[in-house]
Amino acid sequence: MTLRLLPALVALAAMSASSSLFAQAECDGERYRYISAFDNVSVSEGHVYGSNIDAIGIETELDFDFYEAVGNGNTNRPLLIIAHGGFFLSGSNNGMDVVPFCEDFARMGYAVASISYRLGIDYANIFDLENELIKAVWRAVHDGRAAVRYFRQSVEEENNPWGIDSDRIFMGGISAGAFLALHHAYVDEESEVPISIDQTEPGMGGGLDGDSGNPGYSSDVAGIFNICGALKDTAWMETGNVSIVSVHGTNDGTVPYGTGDVS
């Protein structure tokens, strides 16, 4: 198996976990199952979905790159929102950790959005690095939720320009982006917000949904996938939460495969 086949397997498993989400006819052929469903992919870049204050107090614009197969005429496609890695300090929505995934999912027939999110920490608090990184995760989660809301808003208010099914929005990511997806899905009660989060700080408020844009729409997702990420507390995963597909290497030297500290 090559690494490039991994996205196809992840997608197949994720969608199979919730068979009610798809009409049987949609999966009878190659669409949503094999990367040979379509030959070519188009990408359009720099679509703004929101903005918010970053770690050092600067208003930051949030955008996404949109991938779809050339010739994919379906206007009711499942949407995969994918977040890049980079330890919340670096990375981009056109980085090579995410582009192959986006391209392969698009070839399978999905609509795909690779999102940016706020990066960085307040280096004035460098000696409290653990809490600064917790804040960085919280900012990213707020941004991811705004992205979900953006697409639902586009269906309701803009005549569905992206050709998606707003009931079939999935979130996933790689490394830091997977942290975003995991916390997006499973931090769903105010009591689960880490006590180190001061929601009165600029860019940190707005409760669970945050203030990164597109209020008034649901930020719920139909499922998530995690590639080499982690969740701060597995007790947050409860019966009735959305399904997850999780892929992780046992020799990961940065994010532990089981439990432990992130290096």
Side-chain angles (χ1 to χ4, degrees):
M1 181 189 301
T2 66
L3 179 61
R4 192 164 180 82
L5 290 179
L6 180 57
L9 299 179
V10 172
L12 176 60
M15 304 313 153
S16 297
S18 301
S19 58
S20 63
L21 295 174
F22 286 89
Q24 183 62 43
E26 288 191 283
C27 293
D28 282 348
E30 293 189 339
R31 184 189 293 266
Y32 306 133
R33 295 169 63 90
Y34 306 108
I35 59 174
S36 56
F38 295 92
D39 293 329
N40 299 306
V41 173
S42 68
V43 55
S44 56
E45 301 177 345
H47 304 284
V48 175
Y49 72 83
S51 66
N52 209 333
I53 304 295
D54 70 8
I56 58 175
I58 297 174
E59 184 78 22
T60 300
E61 193 170 75
L62 307 167
D63 66 1
F64 66 92
D65 296 344
F66 187 77
Y67 293 74
E68 59 186 334
V70 175
N72 184 356
N74 189 342
T75 58
N76 194 39
R77 299 168 293 189
L79 170 68
L80 305 183
I81 298 175
I82 300 181
H84 64 82
F87 213 75
F88 300 99
L89 301 175
S90 63
S92 68
N93 50 358
N94 63 354
M96 288 312 298
D97 57 337
V98 288
V99 167
F101 285 84
C102 295
E103 291 175 341
D104 281 355
F105 281 133
R107 285 190 181 93
M108 294 169 71
Y110 297 97
V112 185
S114 175
I115 62 170
S116 70
Y117 53 90
R118 284 172 289 170
L119 300 175
I121 62 172
D122 183 354
Y123 286 96
N125 298 321
I126 191 65
F127 295 109
D128 191 18
L129 184 58
E130 180 178 353
N131 283 329
E132 280 300 308
L133 289 172
I134 290 173
K135 293 177 183 179
V137 175
W138 189 239
R139 293 186 195 96
V141 170
H142 276 175
D143 297 346
R145 288 175 174 165
V148 175
R149 295 194 299 271
Y150 165 84
F151 282 102
R152 287 209 167 92
Q153 182 183 57
S154 75
V155 172
E156 295 297 323
E157 300 183 16
E158 301 175 23
N159 198 30
N160 196 10
W162 307 107
I164 66 165
D165 180 352
S166 59
D167 291 328
R168 296 189 290 182
I169 298 177
F170 297 82
M171 174 78 75
I174 297 136
S175 192
F179 277 69
L180 184 163
L182 286 160
H183 290 80
H184 177 113
Y186 302 124
V187 179
D188 55 3
E189 299 178 12
E190 287 284 352
S191 61
E192 295 170 343
V193 178
I195 59 174
S196 60
I197 300 296
D198 181 356
Q199 296 191 51
T200 66
E201 290 184 18
M204 302 293 288
L208 289 172
D209 276 337
D211 292 324
S212 296
N214 318 304
Y217 290 87
S218 172
S219 57
D220 291 344
V221 293
I224 66 166
F225 64 87
N226 158 51
I227 301 174
C228 303
L231 184 66
K232 181 173 173 58
D233 190 343
T234 55
W236 297 338
M237 303 177 76
E238 300 173 328
T239 301
N241 285 159
V242 298
S243 299
I244 177 176
V245 172
S246 189
V247 180
H248 205 139
T250 55
N251 292 327
D252 192 327
T254 300
V255 180
Y257 172 77
T259 59
D261 296 328
V262 176
S263 300

